[in-house]
Amino acid sequence: MKYITYIILFFSLTLFAQEDPVKQDSTQVHYMIIEGDSIPVTAVELDEVMVLPNLYFADRDARIRYIILRRKTLKVYPYAKLAAERLEALQKRLDELDRRSEKKRYAKIIQKYIENEFSAELKKLTKTEGQILVKLIHRQTGKTTFQLIKELRSGWRAFWFNNTASLFDISLKKEFNPLVEEEDYLIEDILQRAFQNERLKRQDPAFDIDFYACVNKWSKPKTESKPKSKG
C-alpha cells in the first residue's frame, strides 16, 4: 500500500494553517418596494436536504455485501477528504514558490513528514479498502490517483506504481462513476446517509453527481404481492 500511502499523505503537510472565518449571521435581508417604501424582509438560507430512498436488498447476501461495503467506505472516506483539502493547500503553497530548488526542498520536507506520520495506519488497509480509497480520491479531487502521482512525481513513477498495484487487483486509474458502476452507486448512497446522520462530515465532490439518476437506474422497488384469487 506504499503507493496509496504516498499520495494521501503527500497532502497531509500544512505549513500555513488558516482558520475559516466565523460566520456572523446567515440571515439575509431583502427589501420589497411597496408604494414607494422599502420594506425589509428577512430570509434564512436553509441547507438542501436530500430525500434518500428506502434500502432494498434482493437477498440476505446482498444485504451483507452492503454492510461490509459501508464499513470499508466509512473507514477510508476521511483519507480521501483529507487528500482534497491538502491538495488545495499544497497547490497554493507551490504556486507561491518561484524557484525550482525551493519547490524541490519543499517536496523533501513533505516526504519526510509522510514517513514520520500516518504511514503505518494506511498500510493496514486491505486491498478492497485500497481500491475504494482510490475511487474516493477521484470523487473528492476530480483526478485519479495515477494522475496525481504523475503530476506530483513523474510519469514513470506513476506507471510503476500502477503496475505494482495491478498485482493486487488495485487500479490507480480507477474513476468514481456511480451512474455506470453499481458498487459506486452503493458507495454514494452510503456517503449520503452518513452525511445526513452526521456520521461523516460532508464534503462536496469535485464534479457533479446526479444521485437521483443513479437511484432510478440501480434501485429496485419491492415487488408487490399479487392478491389471491378466490376459489
Side-chain angles (χ1 to χ4, degrees):
M1 300 296 293
K2 182 178 180 180
Y3 42 90
I4 296 180
T5 302
Y6 180 85
I7 193 63
I8 289 294
L9 297 182
F10 194 90
F11 307 132
S12 298
L13 181 62
T14 305
L15 296 184
F16 299 93
Q18 295 181 351
E19 294 184 358
D20 295 332
V22 178
K23 294 183 180 180
Q24 298 298 327
D25 190 351
S26 59
T27 303
Q28 296 181 350
V29 179
H30 303 277
Y31 293 88
M32 297 179 60
I33 307 299
I34 302 178
E35 296 182 356
D37 294 330
S38 298
I39 308 298
V41 178
T42 60
V44 179
E45 292 185 357
L46 299 178
D47 295 333
E48 180 181 356
V49 177
M50 179 175 291
V51 179
L52 300 175
N54 294 328
L55 290 174
Y56 167 76
F57 303 100
D59 50 38
R60 181 174 179 273
D61 290 340
R63 179 185 295 273
I64 293 175
R65 285 195 297 269
Y66 181 89
I67 293 175
I68 293 175
L69 183 63
R70 179 174 59 191
R71 175 174 57 80
K72 295 178 181 295
T73 300
L74 296 178
K75 178 179 179 180
V76 303
Y77 171 80
Y79 295 115
K81 180 176 179 294
L82 176 66
E85 294 171 348
R86 296 302 183 249
L87 176 61
E88 182 179 357
L90 171 64
Q91 191 59 56
K92 181 178 179 181
R93 176 56 179 158
L94 290 177
D95 290 342
E96 294 174 352
L97 300 177
D98 297 327
R99 298 180 181 180
R100 184 177 180 181
S101 59
E102 292 178 340
K103 294 183 179 182
K104 188 175 181 180
R105 189 181 306 112
Y106 180 71
K108 288 183 178 180
I109 294 175
I110 293 177
Q111 184 175 356
K112 184 176 181 180
Y113 178 82
I114 292 171
E115 294 173 353
N116 294 332
E117 290 297 325
F118 311 104
S119 299
E121 184 176 352
L122 287 174
K123 288 178 181 178
K124 295 178 182 178
L125 297 181
T126 65
K127 298 173 186 177
T128 54
E129 290 169 349
Q131 188 65 82
I132 295 173
L133 177 57
V134 168
K135 290 182 178 182
L136 291 181
I137 289 176
H138 177 255
R139 181 188 189 273
Q140 302 310 128
T141 67
K143 296 181 180 181
T144 65
T145 307
F146 181 88
Q147 290 172 327
L148 291 173
I149 294 175
K150 185 176 181 179
E151 292 177 4
L152 299 174
R153 296 297 295 274
S154 68
W156 166 251
R157 186 170 294 274
F159 170 78
W160 177 255
F161 279 175
N162 190 68
N163 282 353
T164 304
S166 66
L167 299 178
F168 300 96
D169 297 325
I170 296 176
S171 172
L172 301 185
K173 296 181 179 180
K174 196 70 174 178
E175 297 182 355
F176 183 76
N177 195 337
L179 196 57
V180 174
E181 294 194 20
E182 185 175 12
E183 181 182 88
D184 292 359
Y185 157 66
L186 295 176
I187 291 175
E188 184 66 25
D189 178 88
I190 292 168
L191 291 178
Q192 293 301 329
R193 295 179 191 277
F195 293 153
Q196 283 202 4
N197 61 31
E198 298 183 350
R199 188 169 183 178
L200 292 177
K201 187 173 182 181
R202 181 183 296 274
Q203 183 187 67
D204 293 333
F207 49 87
D208 293 333
I209 297 176
D210 191 338
F211 180 71
Y212 290 118
C214 299
V215 172
N216 291 334
K217 178 176 181 178
W218 297 113
S219 64
K220 299 176 181 179
K222 295 182 178 180
T223 57
E224 297 181 357
S225 60
K226 296 181 180 181
K228 297 182 179 180
S229 59
K230 297 180 180 181

